Amino acid sequence: MATLGRVQSIAAATLAAAFLLTAAWLYRGLFMDDAYTGFRYVANLLDGRGFVFNPPEHVEGVTNAGWLLFLTPLAAVIAPPLAAKAASLVLLAATLALLAATAARAARPVPVLTVLTTAFHAELVGFSLLGMETALLAFLVTAMVVLPERRRFGWLPALGTFAFLVHPEAGLVAPLGAALAWRTGALPGRAALRTAVACGLGIATATLARWLYFGELLPNTFAAKPAVAGIVKQNLLDFALGSSVNLGFPFAGLFALPFAVAGWRALRRTAPLTASFAAAAGLSGLVFSLYARPDWTLLARYFAPYAPCAYLLLWSGLLEAERAVLAGDRRGRQAAAVGAALAALGGAIAFALLGGGEAAPFLWIGLAAVWVAMTETGRRLRWKAGVATTALAVLITAHGAVSVIGWTTERERLTSPGYIVTSKTLVGPALWMRDHLPAGATIATRRIGALAYWSGHPVFDYSFGLTEPAVARLIRRRGGMFNSPIDPELAEIWRERAPDYILEDRDVLYGAAASVGGTPESFRVHGFEYRVIRRFRIARGMDWVLAGRHQPGGKKSFPSLSRLRDGAHLIQ
């Protein structure tokens, strides 16, 4: 049996490594536009301009400062984008290694299934290879789950503080895990209190450093992307229906949650500290996902770093429930029946509220049906425990593989939001503006990442206000972003910043021009006249339109139109 376990572990590791290397090759040259926003901070820091986006303005327009500072030493040797790719691939491998060591305390086949489904988790792999902080945060969270069982509590405050800087909600994992461990008797009260206090002091120190450098206690993104009660209510409804954008498959819906709870209870018997800290990680990711606005990518990147720990709990719970059913345990069969009923109820509500087309993503309903059918069949045919659970893992792994590969296809990249998620077609226009627009000219736009990193120009984020505290305050007051540059609430800030150029999607810019009585070629924005000087094709049916500002006296803030209008940039 031990030999079989080693063979399964080696096979899982080989398959995971092969898939990650394949994904890394497919994602070469692809970076999320948000990742370029962070790379701009890194580049300015390495150039001696400070950890800033628009020098010399000290504004924390990212929530992943810890990731960017982590990248900086490597980015000093190789370019920030390449540094992010290399670091993420290593961190994914390290996360899988930590996870294998942690899951080894669970019953077979939980370790193999946890490693495989984590390695193939679409958002974890995809966003890591697109240059985001996902892999680093997954590694830190998994480390905080691994170390307590080895009685290495001294590392938790440092890991918790670092995780807080990588993404603020991750600061909850260590103190919440210590509290759960104390509550369940796995950790003495004094040790739990010491861990929580040390984590709190670390987070307070990091917050003080943020305030001293940026003048704010929280990143500007908290004001730029406010969460309101209505959004939280909608997130809760979406979670119940299995359509939560921030949680994604297979954790959105009524199927995974009860099994994750069962997994926590099952894991407590063999690894009580691991169970407590894994539950803390899952809860932290769940709370943040239900609190935050649905991610603009329409993908579950917020929960992705917590997926490794969630899978550990999920497979432990499914295996426990399957064993109960196969053994003829009455409560186990009742639980299976309740699960089937919840799946059917959720599916009926989803179809009633959203319609058949919109209900198609509720794949968790299919998981419930497969699991119930296989466990009942296994009970009658006397199957060995683990068959039904393994079948679900295979389905989830296949879904992840298809998704990871699918996002790199031309069809996905050249439709919304794929051309922003991968941003390859945004690089060419940014380089063109670097070479043709006057140095120091400010560009007003909503997609700030690739444009700022590759062009080097100051960027005015009028839409999301990520790097504009004044705009972020307006967004917080009104409860949402600005969809058009002509919004009257922007007038004062716009006149103060006086952007030399506007770079916007064709439909947005032409709609704004029509609203103020202008034409698609010439229009006024808050008292300034702008004229279109260039169009860039960035996706199928989508152009980026660049308009330049006229200065008083008839002078233009841009070079001659004859020199700039030399055709459209083609899709790369």
Side-chain angles (χ1 to χ4, degrees), residues 7 60 62 72 91 109 167 221 243 266 302 317 426 442 476 491 535:
V7 170
E60 190 176 6
V62 292
T72 300
L91 287 165
H167 224 260
T221 50
S243 59
Y302 291 156
L426 308 183
T442 299
R476 189 169 188 84
R535 295 175 181 81

Side-chain angles (χ1 to χ4, degrees), residues 443-464:
I443 305 172
T445 188
R446 74 177 61 206
R447 298 195 190 106
I448 64 177
L451 172 66
Y453 179 76
W454 289 107
S455 75
H457 285 286
V459 172
F460 171 47
D461 178 12
Y462 80 85
S463 184
F464 296 99

